Amino acid sequence: MNFLELLFQDATGRLNTTEHERGAMYDWLKGCRIDNPAAGEGGVMAGIPGNDWYRLPEPVTVGGQRTDLVVGNMIGSYFVFAGQHAALFAAELDLQYDADNKMDRPQGLDSLLAVYELDADGEMSELEEGGAAPSAASDTDLPRHFDDVYFRVTDLSDAGRIETRTTIAWQSSSFTGFTLLGTTFFGYGSQLENPEMRQHLTVMAADWALRKECAAQAQAGLAAAWPYAPRQRIVDMASYQREIAYVVSLARGYELRRDKGYRFHTDDPFWIYAACDMRFREFSLKYTAGLPCAELERPLELAVGAYEKARVALTLEYGQGELSALNFDDLQEYARCMQLAGACILLGRSDLVARVAAMQDHEYRGEDAFFEGLLQFELADRVDDVDEWYYDVPYTHLVDCFEEDEDGRPDCLARFLRAWHPALVSGTWYNGHLRANGPGGYFGLWAFEAAALAYLMDIDDSGIMHWAYPADLVAHARQRLPRRRA
């Protein structure tokens, strides 16, 4: 048995090896183990995750790139190539981009998560842990954090058994200058057939197929130049046309599957909430990309409408009584609700503010001080004197704005913005700035709720320069209808 060829075919996902073959191959690979000083502390490969290193007897070639270095263990072995070639390997092996961080990495992303701040000169700098700002860096010199995975999942299931294997090409700013290519779970990941897991895998496979189709369509329809100035440059988009076309196409695809489920009573909650999330991403991406405020109202309407449909479906599926669209016990969903309400306020859409309130009031009316305080400016008959709220970090700083005097409110706003990203960044949709080299990974990170409060209370935000603060939306709102400081 040619174990080098077997490893190559297996790691690139071109061959579905048996458990016996994989065991024999790994026994052979152990004979190639080496000590790799470059992977030690401070070495150029120190960021590459893995238990053991191996030097192959001869190099392998993928997409014209050669390597004889392997890292990993029994449940995941990866070729290590010098250079960043993930997109090249994806084209060679028919992999697709992991825009939502759904594929397992051999390590977490904590080391990549970065917080940025604008200094007094409008330059962006990375904040170290603890919040102390380093020396200013220009936008072009800003550290680029990225985590790009291209993948293909192979279903190896047979009667009574579920098994999948995932081939990935992975490049990351944790190990800048290298690309890992391999297949996870050599001989692992198998479990007995069960309806819930089978349904989950079926839905995921359909989602991946839809994403791949939409990405191909978006790539085919690129225009020559983007006519607007982007509002946020944490990452450099390869093409705003591509990103918007992809997100819009994906939202429509999710809605078709959602509505088909309504008609045939086969709806799956995944499609319902995927449609909601993608419609909000469309709104946020179009704002990030620089579209005029007048062109943002329709995407915002679509996002609110999607969540209203989700509330109805959720109630029919699970409710003993009426349920709300977004679960305040989940920080991501709570934040999304506040962002929706904030965006509606900033765009002057009191009708949409009322709809956001209505889709939450079934469970949460009078339950959260910040939500009620925000709505009281726009809607009559909200609940007064609520003294509890769901999340101490970071929302206490915004609740404090209601109690502080006029001079103290800007500092409350600044404290919220400093805490906002670190508190929320672990959420899938807050890691988009790490995955901006493929379609759908990044749509903009914006604290619309903080901006809405600044507008409603006429807080002096002249000193607020945080990258997530949508200052031009506040200016747009104030130009439309100035507010007195409360």
Side-chain angles (χ1 to χ4, degrees), residues 362-401:
H362 306 284
E363 295 181 89
Y364 300 114
R365 180 177 172 84
E367 294 291 317
D368 186 88
F370 176 63
F371 193 47
E372 293 297 330
L374 200 64
L375 296 178
Q376 282 177 2
F377 288 90
E378 296 285 311
L379 305 174
D381 302 323
R382 296 309 302 180
V383 181
D384 291 319
D385 300 323
V386 181
D387 59 2
E388 295 181 332
W389 52 99
Y390 274 77
Y391 296 98
D392 177 38
V393 180
Y395 285 93
T396 293
H397 301 303
L398 292 186
V399 176
D400 287 345
C401 286

Side-chain angles (χ1 to χ4, degrees), residues 188-410:
Y188 288 76
S190 179
Q191 59 180 288
L192 294 177
E193 177 82 42
N194 69 79
E196 292 79 12
M197 179 57 71
R198 174 54 57 200
Q199 172 66 10
H200 171 74
L201 291 177
T202 299
V203 170
M204 288 297 99
D207 180 33
W208 295 327
L210 178 61
R211 287 174 176 272
K212 193 172 184 180
E213 177 186 349
C214 291
Q217 292 173 352
Q219 187 67 35
L222 294 183
W226 183 243
Y228 305 109
R231 291 183 172 97
Q232 194 177 72
R233 287 192 177 276
I234 299 175
V235 298
D236 290 324
M237 286 286 191
S239 166
Y240 282 99
Q241 296 98 321
R242 181 193 72 179
E243 294 301 306
I244 290 174
Y246 173 76
V247 167
V248 170
S249 176
L250 198 53
R252 290 170 179 165
Y254 286 148
E255 288 171 345
L256 285 173
R257 284 157 178 79
R258 176 199 67 190
D259 295 342
K260 181 180 179 181
Y262 289 158
R263 291 196 301 272
F264 297 102
H265 306 289
T266 59
D267 55 300
D268 187 288
F270 176 88
W271 303 115
I272 295 167
Y273 282 100
C276 295
D277 184 53
M278 205 53 58
R279 283 303 184 188
F280 182 85
R281 291 187 185 210
E282 178 190 349
F283 162 74
S284 184
L285 176 59
K286 286 181 175 179
Y287 175 71
T288 302
L291 269 68
C293 290
E295 297 184 33
L296 300 173
E297 291 188 32
R298 180 55 180 162
L300 188 57
E301 288 176 356
L302 292 173
V304 172
Y307 279 105
E308 288 174 325
K309 286 192 174 185
R311 190 201 69 78
V312 173
L314 188 68
T315 298
L316 291 173
E317 182 71 19
Y318 301 111
Q320 300 294 322
E322 293 289 327
L323 298 180
S324 296
L326 289 155
N327 178 12
F328 279 6
D329 290 314
D330 183 293
L331 177 56
Q332 288 191 64
E333 293 196 21
Y334 177 91
R336 176 60 55 83
C337 181
M338 302 308 142
Q339 291 169 345
L340 273 173
C344 294
I345 290 167
L346 291 167
L347 288 176
R349 293 297 303 271
S350 295
D351 59 322
L352 295 182
V353 178
R355 288 166 61 181
V356 171
M359 73 189 192
Q360 294 302 113
D361 275 353
H362 306 284
E363 295 181 89
Y364 300 114
R365 180 177 172 84
E367 294 291 317
D368 186 88
F370 176 63
F371 193 47
E372 293 297 330
L374 200 64
L375 296 178
Q376 282 177 2
F377 288 90
E378 296 285 311
L379 305 174
D381 302 323
R382 296 309 302 180
V383 181
D384 291 319
D385 300 323
V386 181
D387 59 2
E388 295 181 332
W389 52 99
Y390 274 77
Y391 296 98
D392 177 38
V393 180
Y395 285 93
T396 293
H397 301 303
L398 292 186
V399 176
D400 287 345
C401 286
F402 299 130
E403 304 298 329
E404 283 283 351
D405 59 22
E406 180 178 318
D407 292 336
R409 289 168 186 162

Side-chain angles (χ1 to χ4, degrees), residues 5 31 34 52 59 109 151 164 171 175 178 259 280 332 347 393 442 449:
E5 180 63 21
I34 62 168
D52 295 297
L109 302 183
F151 73 94
T164 63
Q171 59 192 31
F175 46 90
F178 301 96
D259 295 342
F280 182 85
Q332 288 191 64
L347 288 176
V393 180
Y442 182 73
E449 66 272 55

Side-chain angles (χ1 to χ4, degrees), residues 175-188:
F175 46 90
T176 304
F178 301 96
T179 302
L180 272 60
L181 174 66
T183 296
T184 59
F185 300 119
F186 287 129
Y188 288 76

Side-chain angles (χ1 to χ4, degrees), residues 426-443:
S426 61
T428 297
W429 46 277
Y430 269 83
N431 285 343
H433 68 294
L434 304 181
R435 298 180 303 282
N437 293 320
Y442 182 73
F443 55 94

